[in-house]
């Protein structure tokens, strides 16, 4: 296995974390100490085998590095995977029906429906939380309460600073789950696939990069325009793919509200909305229903309707056939390199003519995931007829 460490821009912590991993005691040892993504030192008296996930979508990462049953050490979660990516949940359910159905719904760790008593009743020995919610976990007293109850809390991050924190988060998960080899193998795959894009776009001058508007969860709400990302998450994916992210110019923030007037004035080269199968949780959405059960015919109608909304339909990007939609859940998974590859192909079709994100995604499933790939994860709207 070749482990690449000379990677600029998106994984600056690889070398240091890999060194830490090599020097650390084996995960099967009596005690286990890690430094989590929030910089907190977390010590467990023994390797955990009853873990609660603060987000069910952490299963994307756990499954990718686990040799065997990814549910083996998981006792429960917040039910966001079921609510907001039911296609993926049904994939897990089909592969591991007994385990997927036994998951306890512990509720939102940052809200009143999360019970420390339920954690203790499940005899959990670790709670995994998202680093972007560190402040909420501290403000609500959750960490302090669990600390007093003897339940460690560790933070990982596949969302906020995803391209910086995915590699160390995978290595942390590898240690906690006793899946170090799987974590390193996936990291190697991740770095190689990201470099297929960044090696090319690093040579493109800033002034030649196309302007891109990201519409976060396009079609989720119909009463205002629009949610977007600053230089984080999908905003960062755009930048690594060689684009100029419009909302990064407005605020150095994870979430940025942008107006239709602002989009019209900016006149972007490309518009990319995110979509997923939210119709089961919120039937009124008009989003593209991307995911493992995505239907190309259904989504073709939905994306053309999104591109035809007032304000959007006359934009140059729409008129040129550069209104796109991509799977929202790439934003919270370790395989966001698929999104980076596809965005790069949209922005630079000639430079990336030989890059095949679908083949990459299929190969990733064959090598790492416990189920086959299927469905639809991106598409572009039809250019209006003259």
């Amino acid at each position: 296995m070749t482990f690449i460490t000379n990677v600029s821009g998106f994984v600056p912590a690889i070398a240091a974390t890999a060194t830490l991993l090599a020097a650390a005691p084996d995960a099967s040892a009596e005690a286990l100490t890690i430094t989590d993504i929030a910089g907190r030192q977390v010590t467990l008296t023994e390797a955990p085998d009853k873990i609660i996930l603060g987000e069910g979508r952490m299963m994307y990462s756990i499954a990718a590095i686990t040799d065997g049953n990814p549910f083996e050490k998981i006792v429960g979660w917040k039910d966001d995977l079921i609510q907001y990516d039911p296609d993926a949940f049904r994939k897990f359910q089909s592969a591991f029906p007994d385990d997927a159905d036994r998951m306890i719904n512990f509720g939102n760790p940052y809200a009143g429906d999360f019970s420390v008593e339920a954690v203790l009743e499940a005899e959990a020995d670790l709670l995994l939380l998202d680093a972007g919610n560190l402040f909420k976990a501290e403000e609500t007293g959750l960490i302090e309460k669990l600390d007093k109850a003897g339940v460690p809390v560790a933070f990982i991050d596949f969302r906020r600073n995803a391209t910086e924190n995915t590699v160390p988060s995978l290595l942390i998960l590898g240690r906690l789950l006793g899946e170090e080899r799987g974590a390193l193998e996936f990291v190697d795959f991740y770095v190689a696939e990201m470099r297929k894009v960044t090696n090319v776009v690093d040579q493109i001058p800033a002034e030649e990069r196309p302007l891109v508007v990201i519409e976060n969860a396009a079609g989720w709400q119909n009463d205002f325009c629009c949610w977007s990302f600053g230089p984080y998450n999908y905003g960062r994916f755009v930048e690594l793919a060689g684009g100029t992210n419009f909302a990064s110019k407005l605020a150095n923030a994870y979430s940025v509200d942008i107006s239709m007037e602002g989009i019209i004035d900016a006149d972007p080269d490309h518009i990319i909305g995110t979509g997923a199968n939210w119709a089961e949780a919120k039937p009124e959405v008009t989003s593209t229903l991307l995911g493992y059960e995505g239907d190309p015919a259904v989504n073709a109608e939905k994306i053309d309707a999104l591109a035809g909304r007032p304000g959007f339909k006359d934009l140059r990007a729409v008129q040129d056939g550069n209104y796109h939609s991509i799977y929202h859940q790439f934003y919270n998974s370790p395989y966001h390199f698929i999104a980076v590859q596809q965005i790069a192909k949209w922005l630079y079709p000639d430079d990336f003519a030989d890059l095949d994100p679908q083949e990459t995604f299929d190969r990733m499933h064959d090598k790492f995931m416990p189920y086959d790939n299927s469905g639809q994860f991106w598409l572009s709207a039809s250019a209006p007829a003259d």
Side-chain angles (χ1 to χ4, degrees):
M1 175 175 63
T2 302
F3 184 64
I4 304 172
T5 58
N6 184 24
V7 184
S8 63
F10 59 91
V11 281
I14 292 180
T17 310
T19 301
L20 176 63
L21 178 66
D26 186 81
S28 63
E30 183 69 16
L32 179 64
T33 298
I34 64 162
T35 300
D36 71 7
I37 292 301
R40 302 163 57 255
Q41 190 172 80
V42 181
T43 298
L44 297 89
T45 56
E46 58 185 357
D49 60 8
K50 291 185 176 181
I51 301 171
I52 296 172
L53 307 181
E55 289 192 3
R57 284 172 289 182
M58 291 176 179
M59 286 302 299
Y60 302 144
S61 305
I62 292 170
I65 68 170
T66 299
D67 181 15
N69 184 349
F71 290 97
E72 182 179 358
K73 297 181 179 181
I74 311 302
V75 297
W77 53 21
K78 176 186 172 186
D79 67 349
D80 54 289
L81 180 67
I82 299 172
Q83 292 292 318
Y84 302 125
D85 197 1
D87 298 13
F89 173 71
R90 285 189 282 269
K91 284 283 194 179
F92 280 114
Q93 192 176 40
S94 178
F96 308 98
D98 294 338
D99 295 283
D101 291 337
R102 72 168 169 79
M103 289 293 102
I104 302 168
N105 178 14
F106 286 91
N108 187 340
Y110 320 107
D113 61 346
F114 188 84
S115 169
V116 174
E117 289 73 20
V119 173
L120 298 178
E121 185 177 343
E123 299 181 333
D125 45 24
L126 178 66
L127 172 63
L128 284 174
L129 295 179
D130 173 55
N133 288 307
L134 172 64
F135 176 74
K136 290 181 182 178
E138 292 175 334
E139 186 180 45
T140 59
L142 177 62
I143 298 175
E144 183 180 0
K145 291 174 185 176
L146 289 174
D147 184 58
K148 289 180 179 178
V151 181
V153 176
F155 288 88
I156 55 178
D157 179 32
F158 295 99
R159 178 187 292 182
R160 186 173 181 85
N161 289 302
T163 57
E164 177 179 349
N165 288 336
T166 283
V167 167
S169 292
L170 288 169
L171 297 178
I172 288 169
L173 284 176
R175 292 224 38 224
L176 292 171
L177 298 169
E179 299 286 351
E180 292 94 333
R181 179 177 294 277
L184 287 170
E185 288 177 351
F186 192 87
V187 164
D188 194 56
F189 190 88
Y190 173 94
V191 173
E193 296 303 325
M194 288 288 275
R195 291 295 280 182
K196 289 179 181 178
V197 173
T198 58
N199 279 349
V200 176
V201 301
D202 282 351
Q203 310 305 313
I204 300 173
E207 63 273 14
E208 296 179 13
R209 300 188 177 201
L211 183 65
V212 180
V213 165
I214 287 284
E215 185 181 0
N216 181 13
W220 178 271
Q221 78 291 330
N222 297 306
D223 56 347
F224 87 103
C225 173
C226 300
W227 292 324
S228 192
F229 296 94
Y232 302 92
N233 201 283
Y234 258 104
R236 183 60 177 151
F237 301 166
V238 164
E239 293 168 351
L240 289 172
T244 299
N245 180 43
F246 171 64
S248 295
K249 295 172 169 286
L250 305 180
N252 181 25
Y254 175 82
S255 181
V256 180
D257 288 352
I258 55 177
S259 66
M260 190 72 250
E261 293 78 7
I263 297 174
I264 292 171
D265 187 57
D267 189 26
D269 299 288
H270 293 260
I271 301 171
I272 304 173
T274 67
N277 183 6
W278 296 312
E280 293 179 26
K282 190 179 179 184
E284 67 271 22
V285 297
T286 60
S287 310
T288 53
L289 306 181
L290 297 172
Y292 289 105
E293 298 171 11
D295 183 327
V298 170
N299 286 324
E301 292 184 3
K302 288 185 174 295
I303 193 173
D304 284 349
L306 289 170
R309 288 173 293 172
F312 283 94
K313 63 182 180 180
D314 297 321
L315 289 169
R316 177 170 57 90
V318 172
Q319 293 295 316
D320 291 347
N322 290 328
Y323 184 94
H324 318 287
S325 185
I326 196 164
Y327 182 53
H328 181 80
Q329 309 302 348
F330 283 138
Y331 94 135
N332 197 18
S333 85
Y335 36 88
H336 55 250
F337 52 82
I338 303 296
V340 173
Q341 288 190 0
Q342 183 55 43
I343 293 169
K345 280 190 72 74
W346 282 329
L347 304 188
Y348 303 100
D350 293 336
D351 291 313
F352 291 102
D354 295 331
L355 184 63
D356 186 348
Q358 185 64 55
E359 186 278 332
T360 305
F361 206 26
D362 291 341
R363 182 161 38 90
M364 188 209 79
H365 278 78
D366 291 343
K367 184 174 178 60
F368 296 103
M369 300 303 288
Y371 45 73
D372 294 335
N373 199 9
S374 63
Q376 184 182 34
F377 291 84
W378 55 82
L379 76 161
S380 298
S382 304
D386 293 333

